[in-house]
C-alpha cells in the first residue's frame, strides 16, 4: 500500500512508528536474524526499503523490481555510493541493481537470491498476475526465505475513511483466513513452511481483528544450491535494468592496495615520529633516560613490546629512518587488511620506498626536523 495514502486514512488510529516503517523494520530484523547475502525486493516502489537494507553489512547483492519505472527512478540516486564510500571502502562488496518488469514474468537475473521480500505487493496484482506469482517467486526464484505482507481486511472497519479498499490501486484485500489459506496452499505446492505474523497492533479489546498488516514468512524446506537452481532454469532476459551501482570494496584489489599503502605510510610515520622523539630526548638529556621508562602512552608501550625483538626495532642510517616491515605488519589494522606478510609486500611493491633488501620502509629524517 502507498505510504502517503496510508497516513491519510489513519487519522483515527495512529501507528507509531508509521506502519510502513514497522514493515521495513520487520524485514530488517529478519535480515539481521538470517543474514542473507542476496536480497531482492519485489514491488520496490520508491526504493526506501532497499535504501534501508544497503546498510545491513551481511548483504552483498541487492536487487529491486517494479512494474513502474518512474516510481523507482525518483529516488534511485539514494542507492548510489557516497564520497565516503570511496574514501573508506567497506570490507564487504555490494552491488545494487534495479529492474523494470513484472513479478508475473521469469527473468534469470532474479535467480540465486537468499531472501525475497514482497511488501504490500500482492494486493496490487491483477488476477492473472496473482496466478503466475507463486510459480515465479517460489518455483523459479526459489529463495531460502520469502516474506509477503498484505493488508488485513478485517482491520478496515476500524478506519473511518476506508470505503472498499485502503488504496485505489488495490485489486483485493484479504481477511486473515483468505491470506492464510492462499499462503498455506502456496507453501505446500512449492515445499515451503510458512508462519504468520504482522505489524500494527489492533486497539485493546479488539485483538480478534488481528494485525493491520498481515505477514507470511515462508522458509524453503530443502536446501538447494544457487548453481543447481540456475543450471536447471535457463530463461531469456525480459526485465530491463534501469540502475546498477557497484560499491567500492576492499575485496577489489584496486581499493585494497590504496587502503594498504595509506595505512602503511601512516603507521610508518607514527612509528618514526615516536622513535625520533624518544631518540631526541635521549640524546638531548641523558638524565631523562630513566624517567622515560615506562613509556607514557599506549602506542609507545606497544612499540616497546615489539622492539623486544631486535629485528623489529626502527633504526637510523645517514639521513633515513628505517621502519621494519615486520613491525608495520604487526599493527592490527595493517595485519587485518593484508592477511599475510607476503600480501603486504606485494601490495606496496613499487609504491612505498623500501630499503635495498625490501625489509623496511625508508623515511627521510629531514622531514621530521622540518615538521618540528
Ligand atoms: N513495497 C513498497 C510499496 C509497494 S506499493 C513498500 O514497502 O513501501 C506496490 C508496488 O508494486 C508499486 O510500486 C507497483 O508499481 C508495484 N507493482 C504492481 N504490480 C506489479 C507487478 N506486476 N510487478 C512488479 N511490481 C508491481
Amino acid at each position: 500500500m502507498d505510504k502517503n495514502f496510508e497516513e491519510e486514512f489513519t487519522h483515527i488510529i495512529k501507528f507509531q512508528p508509521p506502519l510502513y516503517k514497522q514493515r521495513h523494520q520487520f524485514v530488517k530484523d529478519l535480515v539481521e536474524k538470517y543474514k542473507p547475502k542476496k536480497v531482492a525486493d519485489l514491488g520496490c516502489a520508491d526504493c526506501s526499503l532497499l535504501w534501508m537494507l544497503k546498510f545491513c553489512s551481511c548483504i552483498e547483492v541487492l536487487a529491486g523490481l517494479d512494474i513502474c519505472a518512474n516510481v523507482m527512478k525518483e529516488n534511485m540516486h539514494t542507492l548510489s555510493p557516497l564520497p565516503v564510500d570511496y574514501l573508506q571502502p567497506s570490507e564487504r562488496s555490494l552491488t545494487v541493481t534495479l529492474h523494470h518488469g513484472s513479478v508475473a514474468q521469469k527473468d534469470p537475473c532474479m535467480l540465486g537470491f537468499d531472501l525475497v521480500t514482497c511488501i504490500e505487493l500482492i494486493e496490487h496484482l491483477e488476477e492473472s498476475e496473482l496466478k503466475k506469482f507463486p510459480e515465479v517467486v517460489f518455483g523459479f526464484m526459489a529463495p531460502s526465505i520469502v516474506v509477503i505482507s498484505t493488508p488485513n481486511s478485517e482491520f478496515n472497519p476500524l478506519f473511518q475513511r476506508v470505503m472498499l479498499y485502503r488504496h485505489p490501486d488495490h485489486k483485493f484485500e484479504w481477511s486473515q483466513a483468505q491470506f492464510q489459506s492462499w499462503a498455506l496452499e502456496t507453501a505446500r505446492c512449492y515445499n515451503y513452511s510458512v508462519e504468520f505474523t504482522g505489524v500494527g497492533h489492533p486497539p485493546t479489546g479488539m485483538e480478534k481483528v488481528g494485525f493491520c498488516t498481515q505477514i507470511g514468512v515462508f522458509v524453503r524446506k530443502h536446501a538447494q544450491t544457487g548453481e543447481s537452481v540456475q543450471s536447471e532454469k535457463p530463461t531469456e532476459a525480459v526485465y530491463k535494468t534501469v540502475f546498477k551501482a557497484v560499491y567500492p570494496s576492499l575485496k577489489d584489489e584496486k581499493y585494497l592496495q590504496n587502503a594498504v599503502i595509506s595505512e602503511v605510510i601512516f603507521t610508518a610515520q607514527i612509528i618514526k615520529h615516536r622513535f625520533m622523539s624518544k631518540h631526541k630526548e635521549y640524546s638531548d638529556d641523558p638524565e631523562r633516560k630513566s624517567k622515560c621508562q615506562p613509556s607514557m602512552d599506549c602506542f609507545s608501550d606497544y612499540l616497546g613490546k615489539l622492539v623486544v625483538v631486535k629485528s623489529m626495532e626502527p633504526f637510523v642510517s645517514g639521513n633515513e629512518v628505517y621502519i621494519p616491515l615486520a613491525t608495520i605488519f604487526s599493527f592490527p589494522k595493517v595485519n587485518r587488511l593484508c592477511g599475510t606478510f607476503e600480501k603486504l609486500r606485494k601490495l606496496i611493491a613499487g609504491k612505498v620506498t623500501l630499503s635495498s633488501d625490501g625489509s623496511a620502509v625508508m623515511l627521510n629524517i629531514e622531514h621530521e626536523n622540518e615538521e618540528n
Side-chain angles (χ1 to χ4, degrees):
M1 182 178 26
D2 182 276
K3 57 193 181 208
N4 297 327
F5 211 84
E6 190 171 74
E7 271 162 25
E8 159 119 348
F9 75 72
T10 53
H11 70 294
I12 300 290
I13 293 180
K14 272 232 175 298
F15 291 108
Q16 205 48 259
L19 217 46
Y20 78 92
K21 283 198 178 160
Q22 293 191 38
R23 289 191 290 261
H24 291 183
Q25 187 61 44
F26 179 88
V27 173
K28 195 167 176 237
D29 293 344
L30 212 65
V31 165
E32 266 145 30
K33 180 175 170 195
Y34 289 102
K35 308 238 175 295
K37 277 192 178 173
K38 299 182 178 187
V39 179
D41 185 28
L42 312 184
C44 63
D46 64 1
C47 307
S48 52
L49 177 59
L50 291 170
W51 180 81
M52 187 176 183
L53 294 179
K54 84 171 188 155
F55 299 99
C56 296
S57 59
C58 59
I59 298 178
E60 296 182 359
V61 175
L62 257 184
L65 171 73
D66 205 288
I67 202 160
C68 179
N70 287 341
V71 72
M72 277 192 292
K73 284 179 181 170
E74 252 171 54
N75 285 327
M76 70 185 183
H77 63 275
T78 61
L79 300 175
S80 297
L82 299 169
V84 68
D85 294 314
Y86 289 96
L87 288 171
Q88 277 194 317
S90 157
E91 293 202 9
R92 61 135 175 194
S93 58
L94 175 63
T95 303
V96 186
T97 318
L98 295 179
H99 305 281
H100 176 215
S102 171
V103 290
Q105 286 187 297
K106 298 173 182 175
D107 186 298
C109 74
M110 283 290 152
L111 291 173
F113 284 88
D114 305 308
L115 169 66
V116 168
T117 58
C118 309
I119 304 303
E120 306 297 271
L121 164 70
I122 58 170
E123 65 276 10
H124 290 265
L125 302 179
E126 301 284 355
E127 206 181 328
S128 60
E129 294 174 315
L130 184 68
K131 263 207 180 104
K132 291 177 187 154
F133 173 84
E135 173 53 27
V136 176
V137 175
F138 296 90
F140 177 73
M141 297 173 69
S144 318
I145 303 166
V146 180
V147 187
I148 296 180
S149 86
T150 192
N152 165 16
S153 64
E154 288 163 80
F155 203 100
N156 290 354
L158 302 185
F159 295 126
Q160 277 197 337
R161 286 197 206 164
V162 177
M163 307 300 280
L164 178 61
Y165 298 137
R166 296 183 195 177
H167 189 277
D169 188 51
H170 286 182
K171 311 298 184 299
F172 60 89
E173 283 175 5
W174 279 337
S175 65
Q176 295 172 87
Q178 285 171 312
F179 176 54
Q180 291 182 13
S181 93
W182 174 86
L184 286 165
E185 177 56 15
T186 304
R188 190 195 58 76
C189 225
Y190 294 96
N191 220 2
Y192 279 73
S193 62
V194 57
E195 284 190 7
F196 300 101
T197 177
V199 292
H201 283 275
T204 319
M206 310 198 81
E207 286 77 8
K208 252 177 60 193
V209 300
F211 290 106
C212 185
T213 296
Q214 45 186 343
I215 299 177
V217 179
F218 301 74
V219 177
R220 203 181 56 217
K221 283 187 181 162
H222 296 296
Q224 276 168 291
T225 68
E227 271 170 33
S228 75
V229 171
Q230 273 169 39
S231 61
E232 288 165 19
K233 296 173 176 171
T235 338
E236 263 180 53
V238 288
Y239 298 165
K240 189 171 168 236
T241 303
V242 292
F243 173 88
K244 183 167 181 174
V246 180
Y247 277 64
S249 152
L250 295 175
K251 291 212 170 99
D252 180 334
E253 192 92 350
K254 175 176 78 189
Y255 293 109
L256 177 65
Q257 185 175 42
N258 282 343
V260 168
I261 292 167
S262 310
E263 199 55 35
V264 163
I265 293 173
F266 175 73
T267 308
Q269 292 284 8
I270 292 180
I271 298 174
K272 174 192 141 186
H273 187 74
R274 299 297 160 108
F275 174 72
M276 294 304 291
S277 358
K278 255 193 155 181
H279 208 67
K280 197 162 178 290
E281 280 173 20
Y282 277 71
S283 50
D284 286 357
D285 181 3
E287 278 180 25
R288 291 183 61 193
K289 220 174 175 178
S290 56
K291 288 184 210 153
C292 285
Q293 302 291 333
S295 314
M296 296 302 288
D297 61 56
C298 62
F299 183 89
S300 306
D301 277 351
Y302 182 60
L303 202 57
K305 278 175 202 145
L306 287 178
V307 300
V308 172
V309 185
K310 202 74 187 147
S311 64
M312 290 181 82
E313 203 170 343
F315 60 93
V316 177
S317 173
N319 260 348
E320 315 290 344
V321 189
Y322 291 81
I323 321 287
L325 266 187
T327 310
I328 295 172
F329 182 63
S330 71
F331 275 69
K333 188 151 179 209
V334 178
N335 196 289
R336 193 165 43 84
L337 281 171
C338 304
T340 66
F341 190 63
E342 270 324 296
K343 182 96 188 199
L344 167 64
R345 277 178 178 280
K346 192 179 150 227
L347 288 169
I348 62 168
K351 305 281 182 188
V352 176
T353 314
L354 297 176
S355 57
S356 53
D357 66 354
S359 69
V361 171
M362 225 167 100
L363 295 174
N364 197 286
I365 290 179
E366 304 288 318
H367 295 146
E368 178 78 17
N369 293 338
E370 280 163 21
E371 279 165 28
N372 296 339

